[in-house]
């Protein structure tokens, strides 16, 4: 079948993106929706683009060169892309193609004014809108001008901004082709953009209309501020009318110009309320057709609306599926677990299957539905108290929803209660034997799992794992486990509250918990200092490690003097901690045992920055400071009225916090230990399926849920298109910022601190580890790329337990995510590092190398001159 170079818009729909590009496909789809008017026109297809590109074989070499350029090398991208554009614009349009375009133009009217618009195959997609990346030309007249502007649209595939956008979104330049839409020009009284969901808050029930006089180009280019209408449930709920001093109008002979608006009209609304409501009604019809919120360009002509573009809004965070029409309030799991990156489908489903409460996936992240607990006054108080102690921003966001009064239903006090909310000690004795017993139970359970899973393959493996998940939850749900965790947390809260009340001392528990026993995460950081002690005397080993890139380096070590001891020390470390990694709640992430090179930069920093015996010294120093603090607090309490009673109470709580606070870290270690056992078994199963020709590569299983992987093991069939769709979706999720709180309307709430006790210009956060420190900020987004000197302050997005080896080398900590009892906070206190967490935008607002001052007691960060 001969490929067609020109198609009428009426002939295409959204299934034909490969033929006509995203914009034309959507316009064709729009023209089929009842009641939606789209200006007539035609599309010059991607077949025409390929025909023209084939005239210049040198472009292929230039594209190869472009794909090798660093995405941040703007000068090289600018030079290469300009060269490609000049080549494309210089190619003569073949006669048969020019004739086809001229014939189609004749059907519109040969002298008709037209809009000539780029329509790339990677454009207006659900995962990447490419808004404004290629070119549009308005009010073009006559066949010669139309052909010239079609060539310009082809060339605009290689603008600097389009090339950079593709690189950043992982899209190969060679896979993207350009079609061109030629449409009859619309000359509107008003034009603008309709978002069928609020683009700022994400609320799907509030539509936003931006409107201005004349062509929409005035708004798109930022020439004028638009009138803004907010429409909900068929009425305008808010409006802001701008002074619109200029507009863009079409010229009779072609092209456009800016014109001044008569001062008497400037502050008149471009639309009436009734027109805005009518436009939103059309937008809802378009949204229903495409199945997701839309960003729609519209024109008002003689009191009727014409739609000239519709694309998905790609910046909205997706809403968890609830299966009903009720209101729901969701809290982010990632902010509690210190992991706000997207998770792959296998990781998401495994966490859901092993979690203690139901969890809902959206945008590659997990959320817990707290609606019922908010609806009942008794459970609401407990939930808000626990959330507020952990992360005040979550509490504030929940209170913002509650303050509206009509979103969360009110239920009698029979709903499920929240966890204990602090104050009264948990009903267990202050006995170190309890912690020892819990650790023993966990170790026995993991050992049994390792032993029993060895013989399981195929569908039997999945059946076994479903039983193992029950045991997993049983260990986690052991009442003694929960009581021990809460005992340490409640004792911390009690000490901080009472010592502030009695002595005026903030966060006293931070010092009292230094070098607490049984903290598996802080032991992990100190143990890596011991590994550095083994390596330090061997210069050849140090030199070798500086050049390590291959994961098989452990086997190479034996050839070097001191290499055998180094390998043994590393193997011992990996046996105990090799199941850990950054973002470890996602089972698909590479563990240290799988990628030991991750640890090499941290070890080399430890070799450089520390003297032998540093681990033991640090632990002893912490112990000494904690004992000194205890004596100081108790002696000051005894000097108060009822001092002996207060001192006795405080002593009981100090003993209690030191007994239990270290155990706070162990359950996560137990979970991750089990996860690594599950993962190895699942990867072995994937390798069997690769050998059987069922899977192309074993890591494809990461893009299937556990249940889907189970089905593949049974049927020996896999849907390759599903895997590819999941890969594309996962890539797109990286661009989304998960909110702390999300409603079923799609509103994303991040909360606010609402504090007035902070230095002007400072970055506000949550104080989690007392003290003040000043130093050089090191903004580190990847642990493997850390390059730290003594006295540096670590600034990062989030830290989970895998980051703790870095904590031994820094003087302070600032994170964007975290709460009072999340892992980074616990370890910062354990090591005595002043720390502020929950600092919105910290990695963007603080530049690497700047001097900063961290106020860990008061919860803010100053950027110093």
């Amino acid at each position: 079948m001969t490929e067609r170079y020109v198609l009428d818009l009426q002939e295409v729909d959204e299934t034909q993106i490969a033929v006509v590009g995203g914009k034309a496909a959507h316009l064709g789809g729009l023209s089929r929706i009842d009641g939606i008017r789209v200006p007539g026109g035609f599309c010059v297809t991607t077949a025409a683009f390929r025909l023209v590109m084939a005239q210049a074989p040198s472009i292929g070499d230039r594209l190869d060169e472009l794909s090798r350029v660093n995405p941040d090398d703007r000068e090289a991208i600018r030079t290469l892309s300009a060269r490609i554009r000049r080549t494309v614009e210089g190619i003569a349009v073949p006669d048969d193609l020019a004739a086809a375009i001229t014939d189609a133009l004749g059907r519109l009217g040969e002298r008709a004014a037209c809009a000539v618009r780029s329509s790339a195959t990677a454009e207006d997609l659900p995962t990447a809108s490419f808004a404004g990346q290629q070119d549009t030309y308005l009010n073009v007249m006559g066949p010669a001008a139309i052909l010239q502007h079609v060539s310009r649209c082809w060339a605009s595939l290689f603008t600097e901004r389009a090339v950079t956008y593709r690189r950043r979104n992982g899209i190969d330049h060679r896979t993207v082709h350009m079609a061109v839409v030629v449409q009859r020009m619309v000359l509107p009284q008003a034009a603008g953009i309709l978002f069928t969901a609020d683009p700022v808050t994400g609320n799907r029930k509030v539509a936003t209309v931006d409107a201005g006089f004349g062509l929409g180009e005035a708004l798109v280019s930022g020439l004028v501020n638009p009138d803004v209408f907010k429409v909900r449930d068929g009425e305008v709920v808010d409006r802001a009318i701008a002074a619109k001093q200029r507009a863009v109008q079409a010229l009779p002979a072609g092209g456009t110009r800016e014109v001044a608006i008569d001062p008497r009209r400037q502050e008149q609304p471009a639309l009436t309320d009734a027109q805005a409501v009518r436009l939103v009604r059309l937008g809802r019809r378009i949204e229903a057709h495409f199945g997701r919120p839309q960003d729609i360009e519209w024109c008002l002509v003689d009191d009727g609306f014409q739609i000239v573009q519709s694309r998905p809004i790609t910046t909205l965070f997706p809403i968890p599926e609830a299966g009903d029409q009720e209101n729901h309030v969701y809290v982010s799991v990632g902010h509690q677990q210190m992991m706000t990156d997207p998770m792959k489908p296998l990781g998401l489903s495994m966490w859901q299957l092993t979690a203690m409460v139901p969890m809902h996936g959206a945008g590659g992240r997990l959320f817990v539905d707290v609606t019922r607990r908010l609806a009942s006054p008794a459970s609401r108080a407990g939930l808000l108290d626990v959330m507020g102690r952990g992360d005040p921003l979550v509490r504030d966001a929940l209170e913002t929803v509650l303050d509206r009064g009509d979103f969360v239903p009110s239920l009698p006090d029979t709903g499920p209660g929240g966890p204990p909310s602090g104050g009264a000690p948990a009903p267990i004795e202050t006995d170190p034997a309890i912690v020892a017993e819990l650790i023993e139970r966990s170790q026995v359970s993991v050992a049994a799992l390792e032993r029993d899973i060895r013989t399981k393959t195929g569908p039997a493996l999945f059946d076994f794992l479903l039983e193992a998940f029950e045991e997993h939850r049983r260990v986690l749900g052991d009442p003694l486990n929960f009581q021990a965790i809460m005992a340490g947390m409640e004792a911390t809260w009690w000490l901080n509250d009472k010592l502030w009340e009695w002595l005026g001392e903030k966060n006293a528990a931070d010092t009292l918990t230094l070098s607490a026993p049984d903290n598996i995460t802080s032991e992990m950081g100190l143990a890596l200092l011991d590994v550095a002690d083994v390596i330090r005397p061997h210069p050849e080993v140090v030199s070798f490690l500086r050049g390590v890139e291959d994961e098989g380096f452990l086997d190479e070590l034996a050839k070097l003097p001191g290499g055998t001891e180094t390998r043994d020390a590393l193997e011992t470390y990996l046996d105990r901690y090799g199941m850990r990694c950054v973002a470890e709640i996602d089972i698909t992430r590479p563990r240290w045992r799988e990628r030991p090179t991750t640890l090499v930069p941290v070890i080399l920093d430890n070799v450089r920055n520390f003297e032998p015996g540093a681990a033991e010294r640090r632990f002893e120093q912490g112990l000494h400071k904690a004992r000194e603090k205890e004596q100081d607090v108790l002696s000051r309490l005894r000097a108060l009225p009822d001092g002996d009673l207060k001192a006795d109470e405080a002593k009981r709580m100090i003993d209690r916090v030191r007994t239990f606070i270290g155990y706070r870290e162990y359950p996560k270690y137990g979970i991750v230990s089990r996860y690594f056992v599950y993962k190895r078994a699942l990867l072995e199963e994937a390798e069997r399926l690769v050998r059987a020709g069922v899977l192309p590569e074993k890591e494809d299983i990461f893009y299937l849920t556990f249940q889907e992987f189970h089905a593949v093991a049974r049927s020996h069939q896999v849907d390759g298109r599903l895997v590819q769709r999941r890969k594309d979706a996962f890539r797109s999720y990286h661009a989304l910022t998960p909110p702390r709180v999300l409603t079923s309307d799609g509103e994303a709430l991040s909360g606010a601190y609402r504090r007035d006790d902070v230095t002007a210009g400072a970055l506000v956060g949550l104080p989690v580890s007392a003290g003040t420190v000043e130093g050089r900020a090191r903004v580190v987004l990847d642990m493997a790329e850390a390059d730290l000197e003594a006295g540096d302050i670590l600034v990062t997005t989030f830290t989970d337990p895998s980051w703790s080896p870095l904590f031994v080398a820094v003087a302070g900590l600032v994170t964007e995510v975290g709460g009072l009892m999340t892992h980074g906070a616990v370890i910062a206190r354990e090591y005595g590092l002043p720390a502020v967490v929950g600092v919105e935008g910290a990695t963007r607002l603080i530049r690497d190398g700047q001097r900063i001052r961290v106020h860990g007691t008061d919860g803010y960060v100053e950027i110093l001159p």
Side-chain angles (χ1 to χ4, degrees), residues 426 483-493 513 656-662 664 821:
Q483 288 169 322
I485 293 170
M486 290 309 299
M489 289 165 66
E490 287 171 350
T492 302
W493 297 337
T513 54
R656 194 165 180 77
V657 82
R658 290 196 66 80
T659 298
F660 291 114
I661 200 64
R664 165 76 181 80
M821 284 296 169

Side-chain angles (χ1 to χ4, degrees), residues 97 226 468 513 543 550-551 631 651 732:
L97 175 54
T513 54
S543 177
D550 190 293
E551 298 303 339
Q631 294 310 313
K651 172 62 175 161
S732 75

Side-chain angles (χ1 to χ4, degrees), residues 675-689:
Y675 259 38
F676 195 33
V677 180
Y678 304 154
K679 182 179 186 179
R680 282 184 294 197
L682 289 170
L683 282 175
E684 283 173 17
E685 185 61 28
E687 282 170 359
R688 278 190 282 275
L689 291 169

Side-chain angles (χ1 to χ4, degrees), residues 779-818:
V779 180
V780 179
L781 301 179
D782 181 347
M783 181 179 150
E785 291 174 11
D787 180 14
L788 300 167
E789 301 284 349
D792 283 349
I793 296 169
L794 176 63
V795 180
T796 189
T797 316
F798 58 79
T799 62
D800 57 14
S802 71
W803 285 73
S804 66
L806 291 186
F807 285 22
V808 299
V810 296
L813 173 71
V814 179
T815 69
E816 294 182 347
V817 176

Side-chain angles (χ1 to χ4, degrees), residues 589-605:
R589 290 292 193 106
R591 311 282 135 178
W592 289 344
R593 173 54 85 180
E594 296 169 303
R595 195 175 287 173
T597 52
T598 307
L599 293 171
V600 170
V602 190
I603 293 168
L604 290 171
D605 281 349

Side-chain angles (χ1 to χ4, degrees), residues 526 528-537 606-618 621:
L526 296 177
L528 208 57
L529 287 175
D530 291 336
V531 172
D533 285 355
V534 173
I535 294 168
R536 195 177 291 106
N606 287 349
V607 168
R608 187 176 71 246
N609 293 332
F610 293 94
E611 296 296 321
E616 188 177 349
R617 272 197 309 280
R618 284 187 73 114
Q621 285 164 0

Side-chain angles (χ1 to χ4, degrees), residues 302-373:
D302 302 328
D303 197 39
F305 288 102
Q306 297 210 29
I307 306 301
V308 295
Q309 183 154 322
S310 187
R311 61 166 75 93
I313 307 175
T314 58
T315 55
L316 298 175
F317 200 88
I319 306 170
E321 289 182 15
D324 61 35
Q325 298 303 307
E326 303 298 317
N327 288 350
H328 294 270
V329 181
Y330 302 97
V331 170
S332 162
V333 173
H335 285 82
Q336 314 299 313
Q337 289 292 337
M338 301 298 284
M339 209 294 270
T340 53
D341 288 351
M343 297 168 73
K344 294 190 179 85
L346 184 64
L348 206 77
S349 65
M350 291 285 280
W351 195 260
Q352 286 173 307
L353 286 165
T354 52
M356 299 303 293
V357 294
M359 292 186 177
H360 307 265
R365 278 78 168 190
L366 288 167
F367 295 85
V368 172
D369 188 342
V370 296
T371 318
R372 284 193 61 81
R373 289 170 69 183

Side-chain angles (χ1 to χ4, degrees), residues 238-435:
D238 190 28
R239 77 178 65 68
I241 306 304
K244 301 169 290 296
Q245 296 171 343
R246 305 190 71 72
V248 174
Q249 290 186 345
L251 291 167
T256 62
R257 69 169 179 186
E258 288 179 27
V259 296
I261 301 287
D262 184 324
R264 289 167 299 183
R265 285 188 67 214
Q266 285 179 7
E267 296 197 28
Q268 287 182 4
L271 292 178
T272 65
D273 282 8
Q275 286 171 329
V277 168
R278 183 150 46 94
L279 175 60
V280 169
R281 206 173 292 132
L282 295 174
R284 293 287 178 219
R285 202 175 289 177
I286 294 168
E287 179 183 66
H289 175 84
F290 289 119
R292 65 183 65 234
Q294 297 288 300
D295 162 356
I296 297 164
E297 291 182 25
W298 57 268
C299 296
L300 177 67
V301 185
D302 302 328
D303 197 39
F305 288 102
Q306 297 210 29
I307 306 301
V308 295
Q309 183 154 322
S310 187
R311 61 166 75 93
I313 307 175
T314 58
T315 55
L316 298 175
F317 200 88
I319 306 170
E321 289 182 15
D324 61 35
Q325 298 303 307
E326 303 298 317
N327 288 350
H328 294 270
V329 181
Y330 302 97
V331 170
S332 162
V333 173
H335 285 82
Q336 314 299 313
Q337 289 292 337
M338 301 298 284
M339 209 294 270
T340 53
D341 288 351
M343 297 168 73
K344 294 190 179 85
L346 184 64
L348 206 77
S349 65
M350 291 285 280
W351 195 260
Q352 286 173 307
L353 286 165
T354 52
M356 299 303 293
V357 294
M359 292 186 177
H360 307 265
R365 278 78 168 190
L366 288 167
F367 295 85
V368 172
D369 188 342
V370 296
T371 318
R372 284 193 61 81
R373 289 170 69 183
L374 286 176
S376 161
S379 59
R380 180 191 309 149
L383 177 71
L384 291 176
D385 189 42
V386 169
M387 289 293 176
R389 286 182 180 276
D391 184 344
L393 294 177
V394 173
R395 177 176 184 143
D396 184 78
L398 291 173
E399 286 176 334
T400 300
V401 177
L402 289 167
D403 287 347
R404 294 185 184 145
D406 59 353
F407 190 82
V408 176
S410 198
L411 297 174
D413 284 344
T414 54
S421 56
I428 54 171
E429 294 297 315
T430 301
D431 182 358
I434 292 172
V435 172

